[in-house]
Amino acid sequence: EAGVTQSPTHLIKTRGQQATLRCSPISGHTSVYWYQQALGLGLQFLLWYDEGEERNRGNFPPRFSGRQFPNYSSELNVNALELEDSALYLCASSWGTGPPTYGYTFGSGTRLTVV
Amino acid sequence: AQTVTQSQPEMSVQEAETVTLSCTYDTSENNYYLFWYKQPPSRQMILVIRQEAYKQQNATENRFSVNFQKAAKSFSLKISDSQLGDTAMYFCAPRGFNKFYFGSGTKLNVKP
């Protein structure tokens, strides 16, 4: 069974540009979560999508946005990039809404560097 | 709001010894689970162990075990017979109803 896949592995952008990060969940998982992990820090919750809809959003500005496609894959878009957006962006998937029985399955992340 | 506190930013342990990583949390939810994840230098987050909050028995997974004190909202991870491959960041993560909260992590260095 394929795990959670993220692309690209690394991404270098210039300040002010837009970045698009992609995530494909494990087959059967309908929920996708995005986290930002700045260097040396913990995971900060960004966005949660389930069944194509945004279910919850972390404390991030509106220039962080995303969507979930009918096949449950997801995109994270970061507009007007700032230097402090440089971080590892982790995607995770799980079964849909329901009892918190299961943990997440994480992808390997996209390392975004803004120069 | 949920908070997760891992009070040990970094720890070291000699290979084959035992180490305990601490975690305290605060939650208003009644039905939740607790997880420990490890993140080695490869960046892949790996589930280490899971504990159901309604179970009094502490979870064990090979060399990994937890000490869950529900009333104290404490969820520590014990690693026995530490191995070099255990070197990683460890995150404590309570999961409520569709919400995951991660601590800031403890960096564990296993020394030969």
Side-chain angles (χ1 to χ4, degrees), chain B residues 4-109:
Chain B
V4 184
T5 302
Q6 293 182 247
S7 59
Q8 306 146 314
E10 189 164 356
M11 298 184 72
S12 294
V13 63
Q14 290 296 132
E15 195 175 7
E17 293 187 345
T18 296
V19 63
T20 299
L21 283 59
S22 65
C23 172
T24 58
Y25 62 93
D26 186 21
T27 180
S28 57
E29 300 195 44
N30 294 317
N31 183 21
Y32 60 94
Y33 290 70
L34 301 123
F35 301 82
W36 278 96
Y37 281 87
K38 66 181 281 189
Q39 186 181 38
S42 66
R43 310 182 325 198
Q44 181 75 50
M45 293 281 281
I46 302 166
L47 177 63
V48 174
I49 197 166
R50 182 185 77 159
Q51 171 78 42
E52 293 92 334
Y54 62 87
K55 285 188 176 180
Q56 292 185 334
Q57 185 175 5
N58 290 323
T60 298
E61 193 72 41
N62 299 316
R63 298 183 295 107
F64 299 88
S65 62
V66 300
N67 183 5
F68 175 47
Q69 303 291 326
K70 188 172 184 178
K73 294 183 178 177
S74 170
F75 181 59
S76 61
L77 174 69
K78 186 172 81 171
I79 305 174
S80 303
D81 186 26
S82 297
Q83 300 176 0
L84 295 177
D86 296 333
T87 293
M89 281 287 287
Y90 286 81
F91 294 95
C92 171
R95 182 177 184 184
F97 193 80
N98 292 310
K99 293 183 181 179
F100 242 130
Y101 303 88
F102 287 86
S104 55
T106 295
K107 185 177 181 181
L108 178 66
N109 297 302

Side-chain angles (χ1 to χ4, degrees), chain A residues 23-30 68-74:
Chain A
C23 173
S24 293
I26 286 177
S27 178
H29 285 186
T30 61
Q68 187 179 33
F69 300 99
N71 66 354
Y72 303 116
S73 66
S74 177

